[in-house]
Each structure stands twice: as structure tokens, then as C-alpha cells.
Amino acid sequence: MNGYEMILCIVNAGFSELVMDAAKEEGARGGTVIHARGTANKEAEQFFHIAIQPDKEIVMILVPENIKDNVLHSIYKIAGLKSEGRGIAFSVAVDEVVGISAPPPPAEETEQSEQPPEQQN
């Protein structure tokens, strides 16, 4: 099965629910959160004489291709770089998917695809 994209969003710790809420508003069904640690600027570490390792969360969301752009834009509005979440989001094409049930296509698409093109007289 194909036709899916993987959206990855890296945000400051504590903002993964905000990301998922934004994604679900656009039709995403769920995601997976991985706890991570960002790399810090070496100059800041030397100045403060401490190791800076900010906590991050990576949100992985598998979505149908047709909603990917809307989900990305929704996430960025809520948790983008200019927000407290300081998030970045990007998508990666997915070749194969197993283990999930695809949502049925909207009724309008099904009806249109089953009808032959109109003939002009």
C-alpha cells in the first residue's frame, strides 16, 4: 500500500500534544512521540561552562498524501519556529505501508471515479 507521507516534527519537550491536536484537526489519525535531545551551540556551552542538551520531542505522523500539506501548515502555525515549541516539520515519502487500515475515500471521489467522462455532442 502506498499513497502515504511521513510527517516528522521536532519540537521542544512538552509540545507534542499541541502538534498532534493541530494534525488531527486536518485529518491525521494518530502519531508516535519519541523523546530526544537536541545538539547545542558549542560557543554557548563554552561561555556558560555547562553542557546544554535541551529536551526535544519528535512527533511522527503517517498521513495520506492528499492531506499532507494541510497538516504541515497547521502544525507550523501552532508549533513553528516562532512559537514556544520552536518546531520544525518536514515530510518524507513512504514507499510501502503495512499494519494500518486506510480510511475510505470520500464519497464524492468514489462517485466521480466510477462515472465515465461526459461526452460532448
Side-chain angles (χ1 to χ4, degrees):
M1 177 187 294
N2 56 14
Y4 284 86
E5 295 261 343
M6 172 69 71
I7 293 177
L8 296 153
C9 182
I10 304 166
V11 290
N12 286 335
F15 289 88
S16 60
E17 278 192 47
L18 192 63
V19 169
M20 279 310 310
D21 289 345
K24 285 181 178 179
E25 284 182 20
E26 296 299 330
R29 294 170 48 182
T32 300
V33 177
I34 300 173
H35 297 282
R37 180 176 71 202
T39 59
N41 181 334
K42 292 294 178 191
E43 292 171 354
E45 287 183 354
Q46 290 174 352
F47 181 77
F48 293 111
H49 302 291
I50 59 171
I52 301 172
Q53 298 174 336
D55 288 335
K56 300 285 185 184
E57 293 174 335
I58 302 170
V59 184
M60 301 184 314
I61 309 165
L62 191 64
V63 298
E65 288 176 331
N66 64 334
I67 68 168
K68 173 200 60 158
D69 289 338
N70 291 342
V71 173
L72 278 171
H73 292 295
S74 181
I75 289 170
Y76 192 76
K77 284 180 193 174
I78 296 294
L81 284 173
K82 294 182 181 181
S83 73
E84 286 185 65
R86 303 267 193 284
I88 63 166
F90 56 93
S91 66
V92 179
V94 175
D95 289 333
E96 296 293 328
V97 177
V98 296
I100 64 170
S101 58
E108 294 175 6
E109 288 182 20
T110 305
E111 291 172 12
Q112 289 175 359
S113 63
E114 292 175 359
Q115 295 176 356
E118 293 184 25
Q119 294 179 348
Q120 296 180 358
N121 294 334

